[in-house]
Amino acid sequence: MTDRKPPQTEIIPDNDLKTEDIYFYRVILFNDSVNDFDHVEDCLIKICFKNKKEAKKIALEAHNNGKAVCFTGSSEECETVAEKLSLEQLTVSVTK
């Protein structure tokens, strides 16, 4: 009979994990002087699946700070949302 050693298990602390989070992408909405608040809020509700309160908060943040995160998701989801927002004449970008 041969001596079999149990497989070694290495415990890695959470802060050392190198897995990539698939929901790490964000759509950034930029302030502009062209679109009114109602249009921006309507787009955030319709395209980004926000409720009225969330849409208003994001629109105000973009207005006051120049930009705001309006959507978080996978790369593909964010690209789709950004394209739809761009078609509505909103200025957006996707970032990781």
Side-chain angles (χ1 to χ4, degrees):
M1 181 179 257
T2 61
D3 284 336
R4 283 195 183 184
K5 293 183 179 181
Q8 294 291 327
T9 303
E10 182 180 357
I11 298 174
I12 302 172
D14 286 344
N15 57 354
D16 290 341
L17 293 176
K18 303 293 183 198
T19 58
E20 183 175 85
D21 184 359
I22 63 168
Y23 297 108
F24 193 66
Y25 292 85
R26 293 172 178 85
V27 178
I28 308 296
L29 171 68
F30 292 93
N31 185 41
D32 64 35
S33 58
V34 178
N35 294 293
D36 63 11
F37 271 82
D38 289 336
H39 177 66
V40 174
E41 289 176 12
D42 290 344
C43 290
L44 293 172
I45 291 167
K46 179 175 68 175
I47 298 169
C48 297
F49 313 108
K50 303 297 181 189
N51 62 40
K52 185 73 172 172
K53 185 177 180 179
E54 292 170 326
K56 183 179 280 304
K57 181 179 177 183
I58 292 168
L60 282 172
E61 184 180 341
H63 177 73
N64 292 330
N65 300 328
K67 62 183 178 179
V69 175
C70 65
F71 186 83
T72 303
S74 69
S75 174
E76 294 82 13
E77 290 171 321
C78 288
E79 290 294 337
T80 300
V81 167
E83 183 178 337
K84 290 178 180 179
L85 291 171
S86 293
L87 290 173
E88 294 290 337
Q89 308 307 312
L90 299 180
T91 306
V92 295
S93 70
V94 176
T95 186
K96 186 168 182 179

